[in-house]
Amino acid sequence: MISSLTGAVQAVTLNTAVIDVNGFGMLINATPGTLATLHVGREATVFTSMVVREDSMTLFGFASAEERDVFEVLISVSGIGPRTGLAILAVHSPEEVRIAANTKDTAAFTKVSGIGPKGASRIVLELNGKLVPTGAPVSPVAGAGSLSAWEPQVIEALTGLGWSEKDATSTLKSLSKAEPEIVSGGNVAEILRAALRSMSSGTRV
């Protein structure tokens, strides 16, 4: 079982990346948040989960071992495949998933495209006792960064994922009004996740 990959990033798309590991180009599927941390030509390490089917073997990559571990628990739920597992982690951080499962917060799961009330109820039922909060913060600490520090990084990540700089800038301006507590923290990963949620809910998918 392949649990992680380290190598030079060869390519990044909206859904996948290719990492050169000792001359082998390894294709991984990943969330936009994870893909945004990868840059062509730079070395990177991703934590991986291999999903084996009768006719395929697919690698899914994650920025942290915690994210991978939550993904593997999610796809153990009846009816939750790898794509839906990635979609959940594209919307919520691993700790947010743990909290939603522990508190039976079905509304958190219905925020994910493709999951309705019945599906959300099944998820929280089957995750009962499997995912518990670790106590890790789910929101950035105030003062963790500044506008000048995070804005170019988030815009670069969004444009690298296919959105125009104009759309990215406009989204961040709207986000600062809609979710000021996230923006004021200056945490790049949190802001990027919120921006992706906002942009994905519009006409662009």
Side-chain angles (χ1 to χ4, degrees):
M1 186 65 67
I2 301 173
S3 61
S4 67
L5 297 174
T6 297
V9 179
Q10 290 185 318
V12 179
T13 72
L14 289 175
N15 304 302
T16 65
V18 177
I19 297 180
D20 182 349
V21 181
N22 296 324
F24 293 90
M26 307 294 285
L27 177 71
I28 62 168
N29 293 263
T31 65
T34 294
L35 293 169
T37 68
L38 305 178
H39 302 277
V40 174
R42 298 183 190 177
E43 185 169 286
T45 295
V46 292
F47 298 87
T48 58
S49 177
M50 178 178 284
V51 176
V52 180
R53 298 285 187 260
E54 290 184 1
D55 59 349
S56 67
M57 291 188 295
T58 308
L59 273 177
F60 294 86
F62 306 91
S64 68
E66 166 71 1
E67 191 173 21
R68 177 196 60 198
D69 293 346
V70 170
F71 169 80
E72 291 182 340
V73 174
L74 285 171
I75 62 175
S76 71
V77 173
S78 174
I80 299 298
R83 301 298 176 186
T84 303
L86 279 188
I88 291 172
L89 288 168
V91 174
H92 299 296
S93 69
E95 187 68 7
E96 288 171 337
V97 174
R98 289 178 178 276
I99 291 172
N102 190 62
T103 60
K104 298 180 174 57
D105 183 5
T106 57
F109 291 104
T110 58
K111 292 179 180 178
V112 179
S113 177
I115 299 180
K118 289 184 178 179
S121 296
R122 185 181 66 250
I123 290 172
V124 298
L125 178 64
E126 294 196 31
L127 289 179
N128 183 36
K130 294 182 179 179
L131 287 176
V132 295
T134 64
V138 295
S139 297
V141 177
S146 63
L147 181 65
S148 59
W150 64 257
E151 188 173 28
Q153 296 178 59
V154 176
I155 291 176
E156 179 184 0
L158 291 172
T159 54
L161 290 170
W163 278 278
S164 69
E165 184 173 345
K166 179 181 178 180
D167 286 343
T169 301
S170 176
T171 296
L172 292 183
K173 288 182 179 179
S174 299
L175 193 65
S176 65
K177 297 178 181 179
E179 301 188 62
E181 69 283 357
I182 290 179
V183 173
S184 64
N187 183 290
V188 172
E190 292 288 342
I191 296 170
L192 177 59
R193 185 178 293 112
L196 287 167
R197 284 199 296 263
S198 175
M199 299 178 88
S200 296
S201 66
T203 56
R204 181 72 179 272
V205 294

